[in-house]
Amino acid sequence: MKKLESSHVPTNKVSLTGLGREDLNTMISDALCLYPRICKSLSEVVMQKTKGNPFFVLEFIKSLKDRDLLKYNFHQKRWVWDEGTIRAEEITDNVLQLLSSEMNGLSDDVQLLLKVMACFGTKTSESVIGYLVDSAEYSVVEDGLKKAVSDGFIERNIEGTFNFVHDK
């Protein structure tokens, strides 16, 4: 930013804050299709653990579901959770650590693909992926790409390049 400003390039600084308690509760109740009053206890725990950071909220909720701490009860026909268990969870305050632990659980094919794509920056062209698939050392990246796209780490855009989803 300082370089841009010193070069007299017009810049705007935007300060973003986390979601407020009411907005977070609304977001969670909308996502779970439940009345806000029913979600209030879950929202309070999520706020405590994420400080309202929208990206971290989504990752945290996803991790709760993945670990069956938030699950759909077919008999009650609604989402249920154990507030005490979630509150007692040792949850990192760092979004990168949460993503890193999630990525460590990925298959070797997906991890290799993500490492290789990171070497190319934020975008990797389809032709580069094709070239890699043709090589013996990186032939598994095609399988990794399919899984990374389905898991939501990578997306293909209309220009035929693959982007990391977090680079928006």
Side-chain angles (χ1 to χ4, degrees):
M1 288 292 290
K2 288 180 183 180
K3 255 185 164 178
L4 291 173
E5 289 169 351
S6 69
S7 299
H8 304 291
V9 174
T11 59
N12 290 318
K13 291 181 183 179
V14 178
S15 298
L16 302 176
T17 60
L19 295 169
R21 290 184 188 284
E22 198 170 305
D23 293 328
L24 176 63
N25 190 42
T26 300
M27 184 176 105
I28 290 173
S29 71
D30 286 349
L32 300 181
C33 297
L34 293 169
Y35 291 113
R37 64 182 162 74
I38 295 172
C39 295
K40 193 148 185 81
S41 66
L42 176 62
S43 297
E44 288 299 320
V45 176
V46 172
M47 175 60 92
Q48 176 190 19
K49 301 287 186 181
T50 66
K51 311 289 189 267
N53 177 316
F55 180 73
F56 198 18
V57 166
L58 293 175
E59 290 300 316
F60 182 67
I61 294 287
K62 208 174 357 171
S63 78
L64 292 177
K65 185 192 169 297
D66 291 345
R67 295 177 295 137
D68 283 336
L69 297 174
L70 172 67
K71 53 189 167 191
Y72 191 80
N73 183 306
F74 289 99
H75 296 297
Q76 293 181 22
K77 297 182 181 175
R78 71 179 199 99
W79 289 93
V80 296
W81 57 91
D82 180 351
E83 179 187 343
T85 303
I86 295 171
R87 191 175 297 280
E89 280 285 302
E90 285 287 327
I91 302 297
T92 178
D93 289 333
N94 188 324
V95 178
L96 293 177
Q97 286 180 348
L98 179 62
L99 285 175
S100 177
S101 67
E102 186 177 321
M103 292 178 83
N104 286 334
L106 298 173
S107 70
D108 291 343
D109 296 351
V110 175
Q111 285 191 34
L112 177 63
L113 169 80
L114 296 175
K115 288 175 187 175
V116 168
M117 283 186 62
C119 294
F120 292 98
T122 60
K123 295 180 183 180
T124 306
S125 71
E126 194 171 10
S127 60
V128 169
I129 299 294
Y131 176 77
L132 291 169
V133 168
D134 291 339
S135 71
E137 187 178 359
Y138 297 106
S139 61
V140 297
V141 296
E142 187 171 31
D143 293 331
L145 180 62
K146 289 174 187 171
K147 183 75 172 129
V149 169
S150 72
D151 286 351
F153 288 103
I154 303 293
E155 67 183 3
R156 182 177 184 185
N157 64 28
I158 57 175
E159 293 127 21
T161 61
F162 294 93
N163 301 356
F164 290 102
V165 171
H166 68 274
D167 283 335
K168 290 189 175 182

PDB file of all heavy atoms in Angstrom, residues 46-61:
ATOM      1  N   VAL A  46     -20.281 -19.988  18.784  1.00  0.00           N
ATOM      2  CA  VAL A  46     -19.568 -19.693  17.534  1.00  0.00           C
ATOM      3  C   VAL A  46     -18.936 -18.306  17.615  1.00  0.00           C
ATOM      4  O   VAL A  46     -17.782 -18.113  17.208  1.00  0.00           O
ATOM      5  CB  VAL A  46     -20.503 -19.827  16.311  1.00  0.00           C
ATOM      6  CG1 VAL A  46     -19.836 -19.332  15.046  1.00  0.00           C
ATOM      7  CG2 VAL A  46     -20.953 -21.282  16.146  1.00  0.00           C
ATOM      8  N   MET A  47     -19.647 -17.348  18.175  1.00  0.00           N
ATOM      9  CA  MET A  47     -19.099 -15.991  18.331  1.00  0.00           C
ATOM     10  C   MET A  47     -17.880 -16.010  19.246  1.00  0.00           C
ATOM     11  O   MET A  47     -16.857 -15.396  18.945  1.00  0.00           O
ATOM     12  CB  MET A  47     -20.166 -15.050  18.897  1.00  0.00           C
ATOM     13  CG  MET A  47     -19.651 -13.644  19.194  1.00  0.00           C
ATOM     14  SD  MET A  47     -18.999 -12.793  17.745  1.00  0.00           S
ATOM     15  CE  MET A  47     -20.439 -11.943  17.202  1.00  0.00           C
ATOM     16  N   GLN A  48     -17.976 -16.747  20.327  1.00  0.00           N
ATOM     17  CA  GLN A  48     -16.857 -16.836  21.277  1.00  0.00           C
ATOM     18  C   GLN A  48     -15.627 -17.446  20.599  1.00  0.00           C
ATOM     19  O   GLN A  48     -14.507 -16.984  20.813  1.00  0.00           O
ATOM     20  CB  GLN A  48     -17.279 -17.691  22.470  1.00  0.00           C
ATOM     21  CG  GLN A  48     -16.175 -17.920  23.468  1.00  0.00           C
ATOM     22  CD  GLN A  48     -16.573 -18.977  24.508  1.00  0.00           C
ATOM     23  OE1 GLN A  48     -17.480 -19.763  24.296  1.00  0.00           O
ATOM     24  NE2 GLN A  48     -15.859 -18.978  25.616  1.00  0.00           N
ATOM     25  N   LYS A  49     -15.824 -18.460  19.772  1.00  0.00           N
ATOM     26  CA  LYS A  49     -14.708 -19.176  19.162  1.00  0.00           C
ATOM     27  C   LYS A  49     -14.142 -18.465  17.939  1.00  0.00           C
ATOM     28  O   LYS A  49     -12.961 -18.627  17.626  1.00  0.00           O
ATOM     29  CB  LYS A  49     -15.137 -20.594  18.740  1.00  0.00           C
ATOM     30  CG  LYS A  49     -15.658 -21.465  19.865  1.00  0.00           C
ATOM     31  CD  LYS A  49     -14.559 -21.921  20.773  1.00  0.00           C
ATOM     32  CE  LYS A  49     -15.066 -22.909  21.810  1.00  0.00           C
ATOM     33  NZ  LYS A  49     -14.046 -23.357  22.706  1.00  0.00           N
ATOM     34  N   THR A  50     -14.962 -17.682  17.222  1.00  0.00           N
ATOM     35  CA  THR A  50     -14.523 -17.103  15.943  1.00  0.00           C
ATOM     36  C   THR A  50     -14.383 -15.583  15.963  1.00  0.00           C
ATOM     37  O   THR A  50     -13.890 -15.004  15.007  1.00  0.00           O
ATOM     38  CB  THR A  50     -15.516 -17.450  14.831  1.00  0.00           C
ATOM     39  OG1 THR A  50     -16.771 -16.810  15.099  1.00  0.00           O
ATOM     40  CG2 THR A  50     -15.693 -18.947  14.677  1.00  0.00           C
ATOM     41  N   LYS A  51     -14.847 -14.957  17.019  1.00  0.00           N
ATOM     42  CA  LYS A  51     -14.866 -13.482  17.125  1.00  0.00           C
ATOM     43  C   LYS A  51     -15.662 -12.843  15.985  1.00  0.00           C
ATOM     44  O   LYS A  51     -15.446 -11.694  15.635  1.00  0.00           O
ATOM     45  CB  LYS A  51     -13.442 -12.898  17.145  1.00  0.00           C
ATOM     46  CG  LYS A  51     -12.486 -13.547  18.106  1.00  0.00           C
ATOM     47  CD  LYS A  51     -12.824 -13.227  19.539  1.00  0.00           C
ATOM     48  CE  LYS A  51     -11.759 -13.691  20.477  1.00  0.00           C
ATOM     49  NZ  LYS A  51     -11.923 -14.994  21.038  1.00  0.00           N
ATOM     50  N   GLY A  52     -16.556 -13.630  15.350  1.00  0.00           N
ATOM     51  CA  GLY A  52     -17.414 -13.099  14.292  1.00  0.00           C
ATOM     52  C   GLY A  52     -16.770 -13.003  12.925  1.00  0.00           C
ATOM     53  O   GLY A  52     -17.395 -12.514  11.985  1.00  0.00           O
ATOM     54  N   ASN A  53     -15.526 -13.483  12.773  1.00  0.00           N
ATOM     55  CA  ASN A  53     -14.870 -13.459  11.467  1.00  0.00           C
ATOM     56  C   ASN A  53     -15.676 -14.337  10.510  1.00  0.00           C
ATOM     57  O   ASN A  53     -15.766 -15.546  10.716  1.00  0.00           O
ATOM     58  CB  ASN A  53     -13.444 -13.993  11.613  1.00  0.00           C
ATOM     59  CG  ASN A  53     -12.687 -14.074  10.315  1.00  0.00           C
ATOM     60  OD1 ASN A  53     -13.197 -14.519   9.297  1.00  0.00           O
ATOM     61  ND2 ASN A  53     -11.438 -13.652  10.354  1.00  0.00           N
ATOM     62  N   PRO A  54     -16.285 -13.750   9.450  1.00  0.00           N
ATOM     63  CA  PRO A  54     -17.185 -14.518   8.586  1.00  0.00           C
ATOM     64  C   PRO A  54     -16.529 -15.763   7.966  1.00  0.00           C
ATOM     65  O   PRO A  54     -17.151 -16.816   7.904  1.00  0.00           O
ATOM     66  CB  PRO A  54     -17.593 -13.532   7.496  1.00  0.00           C
ATOM     67  CG  PRO A  54     -17.336 -12.195   8.078  1.00  0.00           C
ATOM     68  CD  PRO A  54     -16.198 -12.354   9.039  1.00  0.00           C
ATOM     69  N   PHE A  55     -15.298 -15.633   7.514  1.00  0.00           N
ATOM     70  CA  PHE A  55     -14.623 -16.782   6.915  1.00  0.00           C
ATOM     71  C   PHE A  55     -14.407 -17.868   7.961  1.00  0.00           C
ATOM     72  O   PHE A  55     -14.676 -19.042   7.726  1.00  0.00           O
ATOM     73  CB  PHE A  55     -13.286 -16.365   6.304  1.00  0.00           C
ATOM     74  CG  PHE A  55     -12.556 -17.517   5.686  1.00  0.00           C
ATOM     75  CD1 PHE A  55     -12.990 -18.076   4.502  1.00  0.00           C
ATOM     76  CD2 PHE A  55     -11.448 -18.054   6.309  1.00  0.00           C
ATOM     77  CE1 PHE A  55     -12.327 -19.156   3.940  1.00  0.00           C
ATOM     78  CE2 PHE A  55     -10.776 -19.126   5.762  1.00  0.00           C
ATOM     79  CZ  PHE A  55     -11.218 -19.672   4.566  1.00  0.00           C
ATOM     80  N   PHE A  56     -13.951 -17.485   9.133  1.00  0.00           N
ATOM     81  CA  PHE A  56     -13.691 -18.439  10.200  1.00  0.00           C
ATOM     82  C   PHE A  56     -15.004 -19.070  10.679  1.00  0.00           C
ATOM     83  O   PHE A  56     -15.055 -20.249  11.004  1.00  0.00           O
ATOM     84  CB  PHE A  56     -12.960 -17.745  11.349  1.00  0.00           C
ATOM     85  CG  PHE A  56     -12.265 -18.676  12.305  1.00  0.00           C
ATOM     86  CD1 PHE A  56     -11.981 -19.992  11.977  1.00  0.00           C
ATOM     87  CD2 PHE A  56     -11.894 -18.225  13.563  1.00  0.00           C
ATOM     88  CE1 PHE A  56     -11.350 -20.836  12.870  1.00  0.00           C
ATOM     89  CE2 PHE A  56     -11.254 -19.067  14.468  1.00  0.00           C
ATOM     90  CZ  PHE A  56     -10.994 -20.383  14.116  1.00  0.00           C
ATOM     91  N   VAL A  57     -16.095 -18.288  10.704  1.00  0.00           N
ATOM     92  CA  VAL A  57     -17.400 -18.822  11.086  1.00  0.00           C
ATOM     93  C   VAL A  57     -17.770 -19.977  10.170  1.00  0.00           C
ATOM     94  O   VAL A  57     -18.158 -21.054  10.631  1.00  0.00           O
ATOM     95  CB  VAL A  57     -18.497 -17.726  11.056  1.00  0.00           C
ATOM     96  CG1 VAL A  57     -19.889 -18.330  11.123  1.00  0.00           C
ATOM     97  CG2 VAL A  57     -18.293 -16.727  12.189  1.00  0.00           C
ATOM     98  N   LEU A  58     -17.652 -19.758   8.864  1.00  0.00           N
ATOM     99  CA  LEU A  58     -18.008 -20.812   7.906  1.00  0.00           C
ATOM    100  C   LEU A  58     -17.140 -22.048   8.082  1.00  0.00           C
ATOM    101  O   LEU A  58     -17.636 -23.179   8.081  1.00  0.00           O
ATOM    102  CB  LEU A  58     -17.897 -20.282   6.478  1.00  0.00           C
ATOM    103  CG  LEU A  58     -18.899 -19.201   6.105  1.00  0.00           C
ATOM    104  CD1 LEU A  58     -18.609 -18.659   4.715  1.00  0.00           C
ATOM    105  CD2 LEU A  58     -20.322 -19.704   6.198  1.00  0.00           C
ATOM    106  N   GLU A  59     -15.839 -21.855   8.241  1.00  0.00           N
ATOM    107  CA  GLU A  59     -14.936 -22.988   8.428  1.00  0.00           C
ATOM    108  C   GLU A  59     -15.218 -23.709   9.745  1.00  0.00           C
ATOM    109  O   GLU A  59     -15.169 -24.933   9.815  1.00  0.00           O
ATOM    110  CB  GLU A  59     -13.470 -22.530   8.390  1.00  0.00           C
ATOM    111  CG  GLU A  59     -13.012 -22.089   7.020  1.00  0.00           C
ATOM    112  CD  GLU A  59     -13.124 -23.175   5.970  1.00  0.00           C
ATOM    113  OE1 GLU A  59     -12.748 -24.336   6.240  1.00  0.00           O
ATOM    114  OE2 GLU A  59     -13.621 -22.876   4.871  1.00  0.00           O
ATOM    115  N   PHE A  60     -15.524 -22.944  10.774  1.00  0.00           N
ATOM    116  CA  PHE A  60     -15.813 -23.534  12.074  1.00  0.00           C
ATOM    117  C   PHE A  60     -17.091 -24.366  12.019  1.00  0.00           C
ATOM    118  O   PHE A  60     -17.131 -25.503  12.507  1.00  0.00           O
ATOM    119  CB  PHE A  60     -15.915 -22.430  13.131  1.00  0.00           C
ATOM    120  CG  PHE A  60     -16.164 -22.932  14.516  1.00  0.00           C
ATOM    121  CD1 PHE A  60     -15.211 -23.673  15.183  1.00  0.00           C
ATOM    122  CD2 PHE A  60     -17.358 -22.668  15.165  1.00  0.00           C
ATOM    123  CE1 PHE A  60     -15.427 -24.148  16.476  1.00  0.00           C
ATOM    124  CE2 PHE A  60     -17.591 -23.138  16.456  1.00  0.00           C
ATOM    125  CZ  PHE A  60     -16.620 -23.877  17.104  1.00  0.00           C
ATOM    126  N   ILE A  61     -18.143 -23.813  11.415  1.00  0.00           N
ATOM    127  CA  ILE A  61     -19.407 -24.541  11.288  1.00  0.00           C
ATOM    128  C   ILE A  61     -19.185 -25.815  10.465  1.00  0.00           C
ATOM    129  O   ILE A  61     -19.676 -26.894  10.818  1.00  0.00           O
ATOM    130  CB  ILE A  61     -20.491 -23.648  10.636  1.00  0.00           C
ATOM    131  CG1 ILE A  61     -20.851 -22.477  11.534  1.00  0.00           C
ATOM    132  CG2 ILE A  61     -21.720 -24.476  10.261  1.00  0.00           C
ATOM    133  CD1 ILE A  61     -21.665 -22.814  12.747  1.00  0.00           C
TER     134      ILE A  61
END
